[in-house]
Amino acid sequence: MKLLEKAFELINKIVEMIREKKMIFKKKEELLKQIIHFQRCLKHLEPGYYDSNMYIRYENKIDDYLKTFFGDEFALIFTKNSVDIYWALRNKSTINDFVIENMLKEFIVLCNKNGFKVQ
């Protein structure tokens, strides 16, 4: 009887670990969706009427989050492709929708390749 109880206990732990892993995955996927949404919202900034340093700090925080929770590859792709956005923010200029979507293209492909359903 003890062996059966131990087996059920082990099965319950495994099931709980799988649930936790799925929840973590869903939270990561939601974070990626929020990052993509934030990047797309940059096109609505009015030139000269925003605090460029605040947005640059956000871009740096996003890079840090990606390094911490997703690894260097995610952060590298994001940062490498964000160069035009960084310069537009520094110069307080309009950020073109084409620049944003071009930046996100490779990032979204990487997300999808890793099983995250984002667009």
Side-chain angles (χ1 to χ4, degrees):
M1 202 54 134
K2 288 261 187 200
L3 185 60
L4 188 59
E5 289 174 11
K6 293 286 186 185
F8 281 130
E9 189 177 307
L10 178 63
I11 291 170
N12 285 337
K13 284 183 182 180
I14 291 171
V15 168
E16 187 61 34
M17 288 171 56
I18 291 170
R19 274 194 211 129
E20 286 178 17
K21 189 174 179 180
K22 282 186 178 183
M23 287 180 64
I24 290 170
F25 185 84
K26 287 290 183 191
K27 287 180 182 179
K28 284 182 170 184
E29 186 175 74
E30 189 58 38
L31 179 62
L32 289 171
K33 287 177 181 178
Q34 289 175 6
I35 289 170
I36 291 168
H37 177 72
F38 174 79
Q39 291 302 105
R40 286 186 172 137
C41 287
L42 291 175
K43 68 183 171 191
H44 298 294
L45 296 176
E46 291 291 325
Y49 291 102
Y50 60 85
D51 179 4
S52 60
N53 289 325
M54 180 186 79
Y55 287 102
I56 290 170
R57 282 193 304 273
Y58 276 125
E59 294 284 314
N60 290 331
K61 282 183 184 181
I62 290 170
D63 182 55
D64 290 342
Y65 287 137
L66 290 171
K67 279 182 190 167
T68 302
F69 297 111
F70 298 95
D72 290 335
E73 186 179 12
F74 278 85
L76 179 66
I77 298 270
F78 181 84
T79 304
K80 178 184 81 167
N81 292 333
S82 293
V83 170
D84 293 333
I85 292 174
Y86 281 124
W87 280 108
L89 287 169
R90 284 187 184 106
N91 293 323
K92 294 189 176 191
S93 60
T94 303
I95 302 171
N96 190 316
D97 189 36
F98 173 76
V99 171
I100 293 170
E101 291 305 319
N102 196 37
M103 174 264 164
L104 288 173
K105 185 175 19 175
E106 189 177 359
F107 185 71
I108 289 171
V109 167
L110 176 65
C111 293
N112 290 327
K113 185 177 91 177
N114 284 282
F116 298 105
K117 292 179 176 57
V118 297
Q119 52 180 331

